[in-house]
Amino acid sequence: MYGSSTVDKAIDVLMAVAQARHGITNSDLSETLGLDRSTAHRLVSTLERRGLVQRTAERRYVLGSELYFLAFRGALDHLAVIKEVLADLVALTGESASFSVLRGHQYYCALQHSSPNDLSYCPTAGECYALNAGATGFTLLAFQPEARREQILAELPLMKFTDRTITDKDELRKELIRTVERGYARSAGARTPGGCAVACPVFTREGVLMGAVVLSAVEARLPLPKLEEFVPDLKAAAARISSELTGER
């Protein structure tokens, strides 16, 4: 028997979405949980607004990207595969690699592997950063469902770190469009002078954005155009993480 409280019902909805391998419709939620359709829709819409679930193009509900912040923050010891992928990227490029997830109006660096060089540029694991200041944030915004992306943008504070930080929302939207078109994000000096980065999205098997895998470099050592030569390797790393973490071998 399902709990009578709103919280119990919302958890039931979230669990039903999690258990549906290919997503679930509102009518199926209603039938599965014994809820009327309006109640099921109200609950799942609230979860969607908070980023815990999202809708696919076929209007089926799947788990949302906000859950991955909770998972990666609390279970880093289970993410050996990402650590290995990041280590391989650092060995290949000589620069720093990291993996970050969306966290509300910021991004959270879940894991990082710094360059062996004395001078390096990389976010710190366990810290949160502004979404408008560089390739990582661009990726985590650009590949969100449109409704979720616009909700975040409407509430997003645009912080300025350098003269190259995007602080205009129309300009930011244009950069997000370019990011989707090229399939990865790029930035130089947006958060830290002298740093540059490229970032690729990591998706679940349902196409939900899980996070971003990122290469960060010191511009004087590896300028952005040179760093972009490693984008095919970065995309392969993203595919590897997706495969290992979502069971698609």
Side-chain angles (χ1 to χ4, degrees):
M1 178 181 296
Y2 294 102
S4 59
S5 74
T6 300
V7 173
D8 281 333
K9 291 176 181 177
I11 292 173
D12 289 339
V13 169
L14 186 59
M15 293 299 293
V17 172
Q19 292 164 8
R21 180 177 176 86
H22 300 294
I24 189 169
T25 65
N26 186 69
S27 60
D28 287 341
L29 278 173
S30 174
E31 182 177 349
T32 299
L33 301 179
L35 300 170
D36 62 71
R37 290 193 179 188
S38 62
T39 299
H41 182 264
R42 175 173 53 82
L43 292 169
V44 78
S45 295
T46 299
L47 293 172
E48 182 183 18
R49 179 171 55 82
R50 297 299 299 270
L52 298 175
V53 305
Q54 68 181 55
R55 276 176 289 182
T56 67
E58 295 76 28
R59 301 189 68 78
R60 302 179 72 85
Y61 290 98
V62 296
L63 294 179
S65 58
E66 189 75 8
L67 280 176
Y68 294 99
F69 163 74
L70 301 175
F72 293 136
R73 186 183 189 188
L76 298 184
D77 55 326
H78 300 308
L79 300 181
V81 62
I82 298 182
K83 293 180 182 179
E84 183 178 338
V85 170
L86 298 183
D88 288 348
L89 285 171
V90 173
L92 176 68
T93 65
E95 299 296 339
S96 300
S98 58
F99 180 80
S100 295
V101 295
L102 184 68
R103 175 48 178 149
H105 299 144
Q106 298 177 302
Y107 71 83
Y108 173 80
C109 180
L111 293 168
Q112 56 90 217
H113 193 302
S114 296
S115 165
N117 294 291
D118 290 337
L119 180 60
S120 64
Y121 165 65
C122 192
T124 302
E127 297 292 331
C128 288
Y129 297 90
L131 286 171
N132 67 304
T136 306
F138 298 161
T139 297
L140 293 173
L141 278 174
F143 294 96
Q144 292 291 328
E146 183 178 358
R148 176 68 173 150
R149 181 174 64 247
E150 286 303 315
Q151 176 195 353
I152 296 171
L153 284 173
E155 303 168 352
L156 187 66
L158 299 184
M159 301 177 67
K160 183 172 182 177
F161 298 91
T162 74
D163 290 340
R164 297 161 90 175
T165 306
I166 296 178
T167 56
D168 178 83
K169 289 192 177 180
D170 288 336
E171 184 181 351
L172 180 57
R173 283 187 177 90
K174 291 177 182 177
E175 183 57 39
L176 300 182
I177 291 171
R178 289 191 288 267
T179 295
V180 172
E181 289 175 346
R182 72 170 78 95
Y184 68 94
R186 64 196 295 275
S187 65
R191 183 170 63 86
T192 304
C196 61
V198 289
C200 288
V202 179
F203 296 102
T204 67
R205 63 190 175 208
E206 297 88 2
V208 176
L209 181 65
M210 184 189 307
V213 60
V214 189
L215 277 173
S216 305
V218 175
E219 281 191 283
R221 187 168 55 237
L222 192 66
L224 183 56
K226 283 292 188 181
L227 184 63
E228 287 183 279
E229 293 179 6
F230 290 106
V231 166
D233 302 289
L234 192 62
K235 289 184 175 180
R240 179 180 166 194
I241 292 171
S242 177
S243 174
E244 294 286 346
L245 294 189
T246 63
E248 291 291 317
R249 309 287 175 138

